[in-house]
Amino acid sequence: MPRGSLLRAIAVGVVLSVIGVVIALAIDWFPVQASTAAEDIDLLWDVLLIVSVPIFILVMAVAVYSVVRFRVRPGDTGDGEPIHGNTRLEVVWVAIPFVIVALLSVYGWIVLDDIEAKDPQAMVVNVTGQQFAWRFQYPQAGGPPIESNDLVLPLGRQVEFNIRASDVIHSFWVPAFRMKQDAVPGIVTATRVTPTKAGSFPLVCAELCGIGHSTMRQTVRVVPEGQFTAWVGRQRQGLAGAPGDELAAGRELFRQQGCAGCHTLAEAGAQAATGPPLDGLTEVAEKRNPRQSLEEYIRDSIVAPKALVVRGYSPEGMPANYGERLSEQEIDTLVRYLASASASSTGDPPR
Amino acid sequence: MSETLATPPQTNEADGRAPLARPEIVLHGIRERPSGWLAWLTTTDHKRIGLMYLFATFIFFILGGVEALLIRLQLAWSNNTLIDGTTYNGLVALHGTTMVFLFVVPILAGFGNYLVPLMIGARDMAFPKLNALSFWLLLFGGIAFYVSLFFEPPAAGWTSYAPLSDDAYLPGTGIDSWIILIHLTGLSSLVGAINFVATIHNMRARGMGFGRMPLFVWTILIYSYLLILALPSVAAAVTMLLTDRNFGTGFFDVTRGGDPVLWQHLFWFFGHPEVYIMVLPAMGMISEILPVFARKPIFGYKAIAASTAAIGFLSMLVWAHHMFTTPTATVVLAFFMLSSFVIAVPTGIKIFNWIATLWAGSITFATPLLYAVGFVGLFVIGGISGVMMAIFPVDWQLHDTYFIVAHLHYVLFGGSVFGIFAGLYYWYPKMSGRMYSEALGKLSFWVMFVGFNLTFLVQHSAGLSGMPRRIYYYPESAGWEGYNIASTIGSYLLGIGVLITAYNLVRNLKKGRRAGNDPWHANTLEWFTQSPPPENNFDVVPRIRSVEPMKDIRREVAERTGRPAGSIAQPVA
Ligand SMILES: [Cu+2]
């Protein structure tokens, strides 16, 4: 009975496991840690690696060892050992995975409890996902909420995100925060995050939401409390004054309505390629339909995109329902914005 | 017409007249059997149907593979504009749907069709005509689906989550053809499953109790029960989607009082058992192959059979682990975390038993064994990453990323498909009567094995570092280009590996060495008959005395003749 060989296989397995665990822990699997939850989850992940890498390596060591060690010699036609089973062994290897998963689930639960802990001081941010952009709303005590297309968060304060969707399902994901929550139409979901690192991090849509899904990427800016208060102040002023800034309003709409998720437009800092680039639209429009003015052409492209489909692009590419989604006034704003922005199409995107 | 069967003369007692010969089958009642291709179209022979299943699904496998390779080409570089978003979303939906509904599930039905009657010593399935119906439903389901290519393919992934799949967002006919596919292939599977259940319960050879049934037949039995339990849920879901899209109902539309989460529950209530539907029969094949090539009885027959049933049962209780980021109460998540953990236990039992089967064996390195051992290794990886994702705080990071793409391919490609390839090579001599080329088989395995790991191992890393699934393009700043180039190269290697097998199997249909009845000295009854088996399978079926009837027969022959039995031919009448 090759008991000695079993010990040898296990010994090899143990050595390889130690090496495997060291390598697994040394690899930097995740993006930067930028929230309290991230620390807990990364630790949990490390524990998972410590448990699972040896299981994998031991199982494979014994498997590979037996395949190599017990391969048939040429000319040997005999059978292998006729062992049909062993009840004690069966019980042992039912028990081992059982204990492991039981312990892991308890640990998982503890981590969860820690992440979900509520802070009464938490700041509320309403998040809305739509095809193909995220919008944010900061409720303000004694005033109208601040609407924004940028997510700016204060460092070290717990934020409660109330997540909604206005069309299809999206999924709000900030990899650096290690949190992801689906935005489902008709449901408001709350999740909590406490940012622990200043900087800009990608904010991604993780649920297939249509043709612009890939471009539904924005950034989260985490800034120190002081800067955040200043930002809020500026937004408030923006609300009160300067409603006449047509260009800014157009740019807002362009980003808010997801146009930036599919088109390139330098003025708006948009760099997507699902639809044709909109810089230099002035000359293009002339060529596409000489009988229309630039403004008419842009309006038609937005309201009735199927009327004239640009060669090389899909007719389903541009959502057909902007005519219903946008008010008359919003469409006017967009048209004027595009007409001027695409003409003056050089220069740096404004911040 | 060659045969007329007559009953012995009977006396007609009522009127006392002379005994009348009454033929049981009258000559004009027997129809001429069609030959050539018509014979295939009209066949109700489980073996022919099985072969048609294998062939048709392999074609779909190639189609799904081409779609996958196009996807990989688009993702190879950042900011790639080779394929636009609309086409890409179509490719993703086509690839996933094809592989699940037109390849893995039905090819397993094909193996079941071919093998179950042979393994249990029956002459056909219980309902041969229903059996033919299953195949044709599948084929037409596949055609109805692929016709959408000429109009507009579906574009909401293989899961078609509402409300994206609703007509407000995807007005084209693609989703409707997807719905028709689900209905037709679902019906096909359902009819097939009922047939398997009836066959396995009623038509086993004398002496073959449930404790002596081949493990592959065990898995097909559980596979069938799972299909019967799970399919109605998805059938209901797609019917609701169909009326939502075309007749103005609002089951999944919040603006009409519906609920998009309902879709997810109905879909995954089917979808998770579906995962085990796709992997259990492959596990059954492994349980048949390992003992033959280790020349040793399977270790823990009862434990493996019991764990199959346990997995089947538990797989009905884990569906919401696909929905850990959907708004759900935490206790509910906790329940699904626990149930998903528990299912790891019977899976672990199988793995340990397989390895114990290899241990101290007398192992022959044939291609089926390579694929079977490859299966075990890759499936362990997929299983472990599955347990990791069952812990939902971790899943919040991993869900809907390339990590899960990697995980599901380790389970479904590394698991099911490697199992299917093991089975193809193992039963090829029985089905064709010829041997494949061992050298090409091994080459194919190694190319596939390296290609597979190159493709999918790095996808774990891509996912962990933040790459969502189902995106058709990513900015350079995301930093995923390295992973994606590696993955794309791997996928083309994998494709080459698959083609080598296709070549190997097709070429040797005519050119291969004759296999004889039992080239592997195997354990189960299908090796008792000729290769390929005659239409009636067996003229006599021996009484079954153990899980390894062929071993018993060989022993008996050896005792009687005094020398080891090579390949024993069944007595042909
Ligand atoms: Cu989205």
Side-chain angles (χ1 to χ4, degrees), chain B residues 323-343:
Chain B
M323 300 163 56
F324 279 156
T325 64
T326 309
T328 318
T330 317
V331 277
V332 179
L333 299 186
F335 170 81
F336 284 101
M337 170 167 85
L338 286 179
S339 61
S340 313
F341 270 153
V342 173
I343 208 167

PDB file of all heavy atoms in Angstrom, chain B residues 323-343:
ATOM      1  N   MET B 323     -27.780  37.350  -7.474  1.00  0.00           N
ATOM      2  CA  MET B 323     -28.446  38.640  -7.326  1.00  0.00           C
ATOM      3  C   MET B 323     -27.972  39.366  -6.082  1.00  0.00           C
ATOM      4  O   MET B 323     -28.732  40.119  -5.469  1.00  0.00           O
ATOM      5  CB  MET B 323     -29.960  38.418  -7.254  1.00  0.00           C
ATOM      6  CG  MET B 323     -30.524  37.755  -8.482  1.00  0.00           C
ATOM      7  SD  MET B 323     -32.163  37.083  -8.198  1.00  0.00           S
ATOM      8  CE  MET B 323     -33.030  38.513  -7.621  1.00  0.00           C
ATOM      9  N   PHE B 324     -26.715  39.151  -5.702  1.00  0.00           N
ATOM     10  CA  PHE B 324     -26.242  39.755  -4.459  1.00  0.00           C
ATOM     11  C   PHE B 324     -26.191  41.280  -4.521  1.00  0.00           C
ATOM     12  O   PHE B 324     -26.119  41.933  -3.498  1.00  0.00           O
ATOM     13  CB  PHE B 324     -24.867  39.195  -4.070  1.00  0.00           C
ATOM     14  CG  PHE B 324     -24.933  37.861  -3.391  1.00  0.00           C
ATOM     15  CD1 PHE B 324     -23.841  37.004  -3.409  1.00  0.00           C
ATOM     16  CD2 PHE B 324     -26.074  37.446  -2.717  1.00  0.00           C
ATOM     17  CE1 PHE B 324     -23.896  35.769  -2.778  1.00  0.00           C
ATOM     18  CE2 PHE B 324     -26.130  36.211  -2.077  1.00  0.00           C
ATOM     19  CZ  PHE B 324     -25.039  35.371  -2.110  1.00  0.00           C
ATOM     20  N   THR B 325     -26.178  41.846  -5.707  1.00  0.00           N
ATOM     21  CA  THR B 325     -26.172  43.308  -5.752  1.00  0.00           C
ATOM     22  C   THR B 325     -27.542  43.867  -6.103  1.00  0.00           C
ATOM     23  O   THR B 325     -27.716  45.072  -6.216  1.00  0.00           O
ATOM     24  CB  THR B 325     -25.150  43.843  -6.772  1.00  0.00           C
ATOM     25  OG1 THR B 325     -25.544  43.432  -8.080  1.00  0.00           O
ATOM     26  CG2 THR B 325     -23.768  43.333  -6.489  1.00  0.00           C
ATOM     27  N   THR B 326     -28.518  42.983  -6.310  1.00  0.00           N
ATOM     28  CA  THR B 326     -29.891  43.452  -6.503  1.00  0.00           C
ATOM     29  C   THR B 326     -30.435  43.846  -5.137  1.00  0.00           C
ATOM     30  O   THR B 326     -30.106  43.191  -4.152  1.00  0.00           O
ATOM     31  CB  THR B 326     -30.743  42.294  -7.068  1.00  0.00           C
ATOM     32  OG1 THR B 326     -30.075  41.760  -8.185  1.00  0.00           O
ATOM     33  CG2 THR B 326     -32.109  42.767  -7.482  1.00  0.00           C
ATOM     34  N   PRO B 327     -31.245  44.912  -5.066  1.00  0.00           N
ATOM     35  CA  PRO B 327     -31.759  45.308  -3.761  1.00  0.00           C
ATOM     36  C   PRO B 327     -32.487  44.152  -3.080  1.00  0.00           C
ATOM     37  O   PRO B 327     -33.493  43.670  -3.594  1.00  0.00           O
ATOM     38  CB  PRO B 327     -32.739  46.434  -4.090  1.00  0.00           C
ATOM     39  CG  PRO B 327     -32.372  46.912  -5.444  1.00  0.00           C
ATOM     40  CD  PRO B 327     -31.661  45.825  -6.135  1.00  0.00           C
ATOM     41  N   THR B 328     -31.971  43.668  -1.974  1.00  0.00           N
ATOM     42  CA  THR B 328     -32.544  42.525  -1.261  1.00  0.00           C
ATOM     43  C   THR B 328     -32.216  42.671   0.217  1.00  0.00           C
ATOM     44  O   THR B 328     -31.159  43.184   0.559  1.00  0.00           O
ATOM     45  CB  THR B 328     -31.913  41.199  -1.754  1.00  0.00           C
ATOM     46  OG1 THR B 328     -31.797  41.237  -3.174  1.00  0.00           O
ATOM     47  CG2 THR B 328     -32.740  40.000  -1.365  1.00  0.00           C
ATOM     48  N   ALA B 329     -33.105  42.169   1.076  1.00  0.00           N
ATOM     49  CA  ALA B 329     -32.848  42.223   2.509  1.00  0.00           C
ATOM     50  C   ALA B 329     -31.628  41.372   2.843  1.00  0.00           C
ATOM     51  O   ALA B 329     -31.409  40.324   2.230  1.00  0.00           O
ATOM     52  CB  ALA B 329     -34.064  41.715   3.267  1.00  0.00           C
ATOM     53  N   THR B 330     -30.853  41.831   3.837  1.00  0.00           N
ATOM     54  CA  THR B 330     -29.607  41.142   4.154  1.00  0.00           C
ATOM     55  C   THR B 330     -29.828  39.699   4.619  1.00  0.00           C
ATOM     56  O   THR B 330     -29.054  38.823   4.274  1.00  0.00           O
ATOM     57  CB  THR B 330     -28.841  41.908   5.234  1.00  0.00           C
ATOM     58  OG1 THR B 330     -28.904  43.283   4.908  1.00  0.00           O
ATOM     59  CG2 THR B 330     -27.411  41.474   5.284  1.00  0.00           C
ATOM     60  N   VAL B 331     -30.890  39.451   5.383  1.00  0.00           N
ATOM     61  CA  VAL B 331     -31.107  38.051   5.823  1.00  0.00           C
ATOM     62  C   VAL B 331     -31.301  37.129   4.639  1.00  0.00           C
ATOM     63  O   VAL B 331     -30.855  35.982   4.664  1.00  0.00           O
ATOM     64  CB  VAL B 331     -32.345  37.879   6.734  1.00  0.00           C
ATOM     65  CG1 VAL B 331     -32.003  38.208   8.155  1.00  0.00           C
ATOM     66  CG2 VAL B 331     -33.519  38.655   6.226  1.00  0.00           C
ATOM     67  N   VAL B 332     -31.963  37.630   3.620  1.00  0.00           N
ATOM     68  CA  VAL B 332     -32.168  36.799   2.438  1.00  0.00           C
ATOM     69  C   VAL B 332     -30.817  36.486   1.808  1.00  0.00           C
ATOM     70  O   VAL B 332     -30.513  35.346   1.449  1.00  0.00           O
ATOM     71  CB  VAL B 332     -33.088  37.516   1.429  1.00  0.00           C
ATOM     72  CG1 VAL B 332     -33.284  36.667   0.198  1.00  0.00           C
ATOM     73  CG2 VAL B 332     -34.414  37.839   2.081  1.00  0.00           C
ATOM     74  N   LEU B 333     -29.974  37.517   1.697  1.00  0.00           N
ATOM     75  CA  LEU B 333     -28.631  37.296   1.156  1.00  0.00           C
ATOM     76  C   LEU B 333     -27.899  36.257   1.990  1.00  0.00           C
ATOM     77  O   LEU B 333     -27.235  35.365   1.457  1.00  0.00           O
ATOM     78  CB  LEU B 333     -27.835  38.611   1.166  1.00  0.00           C
ATOM     79  CG  LEU B 333     -28.397  39.757   0.336  1.00  0.00           C
ATOM     80  CD1 LEU B 333     -27.414  40.913   0.333  1.00  0.00           C
ATOM     81  CD2 LEU B 333     -28.669  39.312  -1.089  1.00  0.00           C
ATOM     82  N   ALA B 334     -28.046  36.360   3.312  1.00  0.00           N
ATOM     83  CA  ALA B 334     -27.329  35.433   4.183  1.00  0.00           C
ATOM     84  C   ALA B 334     -27.793  34.010   3.925  1.00  0.00           C
ATOM     85  O   ALA B 334     -26.981  33.084   3.859  1.00  0.00           O
ATOM     86  CB  ALA B 334     -27.551  35.809   5.642  1.00  0.00           C
ATOM     87  N   PHE B 335     -29.092  33.824   3.744  1.00  0.00           N
ATOM     88  CA  PHE B 335     -29.588  32.477   3.456  1.00  0.00           C
ATOM     89  C   PHE B 335     -28.926  31.926   2.196  1.00  0.00           C
ATOM     90  O   PHE B 335     -28.464  30.786   2.165  1.00  0.00           O
ATOM     91  CB  PHE B 335     -31.108  32.487   3.282  1.00  0.00           C
ATOM     92  CG  PHE B 335     -31.639  31.182   2.762  1.00  0.00           C
ATOM     93  CD1 PHE B 335     -31.851  30.120   3.620  1.00  0.00           C
ATOM     94  CD2 PHE B 335     -31.879  30.997   1.405  1.00  0.00           C
ATOM     95  CE1 PHE B 335     -32.312  28.908   3.146  1.00  0.00           C
ATOM     96  CE2 PHE B 335     -32.334  29.782   0.918  1.00  0.00           C
ATOM     97  CZ  PHE B 335     -32.553  28.737   1.789  1.00  0.00           C
ATOM     98  N   PHE B 336     -28.867  32.769   1.160  1.00  0.00           N
ATOM     99  CA  PHE B 336     -28.313  32.266  -0.092  1.00  0.00           C
ATOM    100  C   PHE B 336     -26.805  32.081  -0.012  1.00  0.00           C
ATOM    101  O   PHE B 336     -26.239  31.252  -0.717  1.00  0.00           O
ATOM    102  CB  PHE B 336     -28.735  33.162  -1.253  1.00  0.00           C
ATOM    103  CG  PHE B 336     -30.163  32.923  -1.632  1.00  0.00           C
ATOM    104  CD1 PHE B 336     -31.169  33.779  -1.227  1.00  0.00           C
ATOM    105  CD2 PHE B 336     -30.514  31.795  -2.350  1.00  0.00           C
ATOM    106  CE1 PHE B 336     -32.493  33.531  -1.553  1.00  0.00           C
ATOM    107  CE2 PHE B 336     -31.830  31.536  -2.675  1.00  0.00           C
ATOM    108  CZ  PHE B 336     -32.821  32.402  -2.273  1.00  0.00           C
ATOM    109  N   MET B 337     -26.174  32.852   0.857  1.00  0.00           N
ATOM    110  CA  MET B 337     -24.743  32.626   1.058  1.00  0.00           C
ATOM    111  C   MET B 337     -24.552  31.234   1.670  1.00  0.00           C
ATOM    112  O   MET B 337     -23.727  30.441   1.210  1.00  0.00           O
ATOM    113  CB  MET B 337     -24.154  33.698   1.969  1.00  0.00           C
ATOM    114  CG  MET B 337     -22.746  33.399   2.421  1.00  0.00           C
ATOM    115  SD  MET B 337     -21.906  34.794   3.185  1.00  0.00           S
ATOM    116  CE  MET B 337     -22.453  34.677   4.867  1.00  0.00           C
ATOM    117  N   LEU B 338     -25.360  30.926   2.702  1.00  0.00           N
ATOM    118  CA  LEU B 338     -25.209  29.633   3.366  1.00  0.00           C
ATOM    119  C   LEU B 338     -25.522  28.481   2.414  1.00  0.00           C
ATOM    120  O   LEU B 338     -24.758  27.516   2.331  1.00  0.00           O
ATOM    121  CB  LEU B 338     -26.143  29.565   4.579  1.00  0.00           C
ATOM    122  CG  LEU B 338     -25.682  30.408   5.752  1.00  0.00           C
ATOM    123  CD1 LEU B 338     -26.665  30.319   6.910  1.00  0.00           C
ATOM    124  CD2 LEU B 338     -24.296  29.962   6.205  1.00  0.00           C
ATOM    125  N   SER B 339     -26.620  28.600   1.680  1.00  0.00           N
ATOM    126  CA  SER B 339     -26.964  27.477   0.808  1.00  0.00           C
ATOM    127  C   SER B 339     -25.894  27.283  -0.262  1.00  0.00           C
ATOM    128  O   SER B 339     -25.576  26.155  -0.630  1.00  0.00           O
ATOM    129  CB  SER B 339     -28.347  27.685   0.183  1.00  0.00           C
ATOM    130  OG  SER B 339     -28.362  28.853  -0.590  1.00  0.00           O
ATOM    131  N   SER B 340     -25.303  28.389  -0.719  1.00  0.00           N
ATOM    132  CA  SER B 340     -24.258  28.240  -1.738  1.00  0.00           C
ATOM    133  C   SER B 340     -23.014  27.591  -1.160  1.00  0.00           C
ATOM    134  O   SER B 340     -22.296  26.874  -1.858  1.00  0.00           O
ATOM    135  CB  SER B 340     -23.873  29.602  -2.324  1.00  0.00           C
ATOM    136  OG  SER B 340     -25.018  30.321  -2.639  1.00  0.00           O
ATOM    137  N   PHE B 341     -22.770  27.868   0.115  1.00  0.00           N
ATOM    138  CA  PHE B 341     -21.649  27.201   0.772  1.00  0.00           C
ATOM    139  C   PHE B 341     -21.898  25.716   0.885  1.00  0.00           C
ATOM    140  O   PHE B 341     -21.028  24.895   0.637  1.00  0.00           O
ATOM    141  CB  PHE B 341     -21.478  27.758   2.183  1.00  0.00           C
ATOM    142  CG  PHE B 341     -20.573  28.933   2.242  1.00  0.00           C
ATOM    143  CD1 PHE B 341     -20.716  29.876   3.244  1.00  0.00           C
ATOM    144  CD2 PHE B 341     -19.580  29.105   1.312  1.00  0.00           C
ATOM    145  CE1 PHE B 341     -19.882  30.966   3.304  1.00  0.00           C
ATOM    146  CE2 PHE B 341     -18.737  30.185   1.366  1.00  0.00           C
ATOM    147  CZ  PHE B 341     -18.895  31.117   2.370  1.00  0.00           C
ATOM    148  N   VAL B 342     -23.124  25.384   1.303  1.00  0.00           N
ATOM    149  CA  VAL B 342     -23.426  23.983   1.564  1.00  0.00           C
ATOM    150  C   VAL B 342     -23.257  23.152   0.298  1.00  0.00           C
ATOM    151  O   VAL B 342     -22.793  22.022   0.346  1.00  0.00           O
ATOM    152  CB  VAL B 342     -24.850  23.853   2.151  1.00  0.00           C
ATOM    153  CG1 VAL B 342     -25.236  22.391   2.271  1.00  0.00           C
ATOM    154  CG2 VAL B 342     -24.893  24.510   3.519  1.00  0.00           C
ATOM    155  N   ILE B 343     -23.574  23.757  -0.851  1.00  0.00           N
ATOM    156  CA  ILE B 343     -23.487  22.983  -2.087  1.00  0.00           C
ATOM    157  C   ILE B 343     -22.030  22.661  -2.423  1.00  0.00           C
ATOM    158  O   ILE B 343     -21.744  21.749  -3.189  1.00  0.00           O
ATOM    159  CB  ILE B 343     -24.184  23.730  -3.245  1.00  0.00           C
ATOM    160  CG1 ILE B 343     -24.709  22.730  -4.271  1.00  0.00           C
ATOM    161  CG2 ILE B 343     -23.252  24.702  -3.920  1.00  0.00           C
ATOM    162  CD1 ILE B 343     -25.663  23.353  -5.247  1.00  0.00           C
TER     163      ILE B 343
END
